[in-house]
C-alpha cells in the first residue's frame, strides 16, 4: 500500500471568512494550527503588502491558493458594479494582480472561467477562456508560479464543468504551469468522478474542501467536510490515490445575508475562529476516513 501522510496541510481560503480582514485571517488560521492562508486581494488595502508578508512569516504560515481581486475571465454573478465585462480587459486586470500576489510566493494562483448562475444559460463565450489563459499563464510563469483553473459546477452556470473539458482547454493552451483547481462543492456530482480523478489526477494542482448540504439552498450554502451528504472522505481518498499531495484548502460559503440569503444556521454567524476550528476538525476526521477507505481498497 502506498504511504500517505497522517498530517495533511490544512489551509483556509479568505472567502470562507467574509467578516475578517486579512490580518484576522492570518492570526486565526495560525491559532487553529493551519498551515496556510488563501489570500484574496479584495481584502488588501493599498500599501499593506509588506506588512501582510511579514505577518505570514511571523505566524509561520504559507500563502495557499491566492485569488486576484477579480479572478474570472468571464463574468460571475457577484461582480461588483462597474467591473469590466470584456474578457481581454478582465485578463489584463488578472495579470496585474498576479504580479502583485507573486510577492507572497503562493502555492497556486486561483483563476476561474466564470459562471452565469443559470445552468440553462452558461457563461460565455467559452472560447474566450482558451484565448486569454495563455497571457495569464505567462504572467505567472514570470514569477515561477502555477495557475489553478477552477472547475466550476454546471449547476452554477459554468461553461466548463467536467474534468475532461478542463483538460481539453488546458491542453489547447499549452502551458506547463496551468493545472486544475478541484473543488468538492463543484465536482461532487460529476458522472464518473472517481474514474476521472484516477485518469487525470496528475493534472490537479490545488484542492478546495467542503461538503454538500442535502438540500442546497443557494450557491453560497456549503457544509463542513464529512457533514451533509458526506461526500468528502471518498473524494479525498480518490485524490490521494491519484497522487495529490498538496494543500487542502477549506472554502465554505455559509450565507448570513452577505450574499443575499440569511440562513438561520449559517456558520458565519459564529465567531470566525470558532467556525474555522470546527472546520479543521471536520476535515481531519474526513481525512482519517479517507485513509481508512484506502486501506480497505488495498486489501
Amino acid at each position: 500500500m502506498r504511504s500517505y501522510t497522517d498530517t495533511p496541510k490544512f489551509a483556509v481560503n479568505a472567502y470562507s471568512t467574509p467578516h475578517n480582514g486579512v490580518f484576522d485571517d492570518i492570526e486565526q488560521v495560525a491559532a487553529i494550527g493551519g498551515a496556510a492562508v488563501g489570500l484574496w486581494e479584495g481584502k488588501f488595502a493599498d500599501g499593506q503588502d509588506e506588512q501582510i508578508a511579514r505577518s505570514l512569516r511571523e505566524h509561520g504560515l504559507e500563502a495557499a491558493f491566492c485569488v486576484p481581486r477579480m479572478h474570472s475571465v468571464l463574468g460571475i454573478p457577484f461582480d461588483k458594479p462597474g467591473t469590466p465585462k470584456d474578457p481581454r480587459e478582465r485578463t489584463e486586470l488578472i495579470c496585474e494582480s498576479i504580479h502583485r500576489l507573486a510577492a507572497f510566493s503562493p502555492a497556486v494562483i486561483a483563476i476561474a472561467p466564470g459562471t452565469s448562475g443559470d445552468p440553462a444559460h452558461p457563461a460565455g463565450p467559452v472560447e474566450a477562456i482558451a484565448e486569454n489563459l495563455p497571457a495569464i499563464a505567462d504572467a505567472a510563469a514570470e514569477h515561477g508560479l502555477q495557475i489553478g483553473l477552477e472547475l466550476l459546477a454546471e449547476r452554477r452556470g459554468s461553461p466548463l464543468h467536467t474534468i475532461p473539458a478542463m483538460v481539453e482547454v488546458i491542453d489547447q493552451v499549452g502551458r506547463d504551469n496551468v493545472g486544475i483547481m478541484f473543488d468538492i462543492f463543484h465536482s461532487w456530482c460529476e458522472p464518473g468522478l472517481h474514474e476521472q480523478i484516477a485518469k487525470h489526477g496528475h493534472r490537479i494542482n490545488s484542492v478546495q474542501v467542503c461538503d454538500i448540504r442535502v438540500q442546497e439552498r443557494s450557491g453560497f450554502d456549503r457544509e463542513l467536510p464529512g457533514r451533509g451528504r458526506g461526500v468528502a472522505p471518498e473524494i479525498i481518498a480518490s485524490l490521494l490515490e491519484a497522487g495529490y499531495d498538496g494543500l487542502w484548502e477549506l472554502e465554505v460559503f455559509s450565507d448570513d445575508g452577505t450574499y443575499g440569503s440569511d440562513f438561520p444556521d449559517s456558520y458565519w454567524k459564529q465567531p470566525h475562529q470558532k467556525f474555522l476550528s470546527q472546520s479543521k476538525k471536520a476535515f481531519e476526521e474526513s481525512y482519517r476516513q479517507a485513509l481508512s477507505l484506502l486501506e480497505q481498497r488495498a486489501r
Side-chain angles (χ1 to χ4, degrees):
M1 178 180 172
R2 186 186 302 170
S3 177
Y4 302 101
T5 181
D6 291 327
T7 55
K9 295 176 72 174
F10 181 76
V12 175
N13 186 275
Y15 279 133
S16 297
T17 51
H19 308 309
N20 274 356
V22 61
F23 297 106
D24 299 319
D25 285 338
I26 292 169
E27 291 172 6
Q28 291 176 15
V29 172
I32 65 166
V37 177
L39 300 170
W40 174 45
E41 191 188 6
K43 288 188 176 182
F44 295 10
D46 290 342
Q48 283 188 328
D49 295 24
E50 186 175 334
Q51 186 181 358
I52 293 168
R54 183 169 61 250
S55 184
L56 284 169
R57 291 193 300 270
E58 290 173 349
H59 287 86
L61 297 179
E62 303 170 29
F65 312 146
C66 293
V67 185
R69 185 181 303 273
M70 186 198 67
H71 73 294
S72 64
V73 175
L74 305 174
I76 52 177
F78 51 99
D79 274 342
K80 292 184 177 179
T83 301
K85 298 185 182 299
D86 187 315
R88 289 171 296 182
E89 292 182 53
R90 297 173 72 92
T91 295
E92 290 175 3
L93 292 173
I94 289 169
C95 291
E96 289 176 12
S97 292
I98 289 171
H99 296 309
R100 181 182 191 183
L101 291 169
F104 306 102
S105 301
V108 165
I109 299 285
I111 301 299
T115 58
S116 66
D118 179 2
H121 301 92
V126 66
E127 295 81 11
I129 299 167
E131 290 169 2
N132 289 282
L133 194 54
I136 293 170
D138 291 346
E142 290 182 32
H143 306 280
L145 296 177
Q146 293 281 314
I147 293 294
L149 182 64
E150 187 173 9
L151 196 167
L152 302 176
E154 181 178 22
R155 69 191 190 280
R156 301 271 72 86
S158 173
L160 298 174
H161 49 78
T162 67
I163 292 175
M166 295 289 281
V167 169
E168 182 178 350
V169 167
I170 291 171
D171 284 347
Q172 183 180 346
V173 168
R175 299 296 193 275
D176 292 339
N177 66 328
V178 180
I180 297 171
M181 170 174 274
F182 179 94
D183 187 323
I184 290 173
F185 174 80
H186 290 287
S187 291
W188 73 275
C189 55
E190 179 178 336
L193 175 63
H194 296 277
E195 291 78 9
Q196 293 299 334
I197 291 174
K199 182 177 180 180
H200 298 294
H202 63 287
R203 310 298 288 271
I204 296 171
N205 65 7
S206 40
V207 172
Q208 292 187 320
V209 293
C210 67
D211 221 300
I212 315 303
R213 289 186 59 87
V214 175
Q215 297 296 326
E216 190 177 295
R217 296 168 291 188
S218 80
F220 305 97
D221 187 30
R222 307 186 185 187
E223 257 297 358
L224 305 191
R227 300 187 183 179
R229 292 182 181 271
V231 299
E234 187 175 4
I235 293 174
I236 291 170
S238 291
L239 290 163
L240 288 169
E241 199 167 33
Y244 183 75
D245 62 356
L247 293 164
W248 302 88
E249 186 182 82
L250 181 83
E251 188 177 68
V252 169
F253 288 83
S254 187
D255 202 359
D256 59 354
T258 299
Y259 290 93
S261 299
D262 188 359
F263 300 130
D265 54 353
S266 166
Y267 290 111
W268 288 349
K269 293 187 175 184
Q270 301 178 14
H272 277 339
Q273 186 168 322
K274 178 181 178 181
F275 154 58
L276 294 180
S277 180
Q278 291 177 353
S279 299
K280 183 171 183 285
K281 290 176 182 176
F283 165 72
E284 289 170 344
E285 176 57 30
S286 291
Y287 189 88
R288 284 192 291 270
Q289 291 178 30
L291 295 182
S292 296
L293 287 170
L294 289 171
E295 186 175 352
Q296 293 170 23
R297 292 179 190 178
R299 289 174 182 168

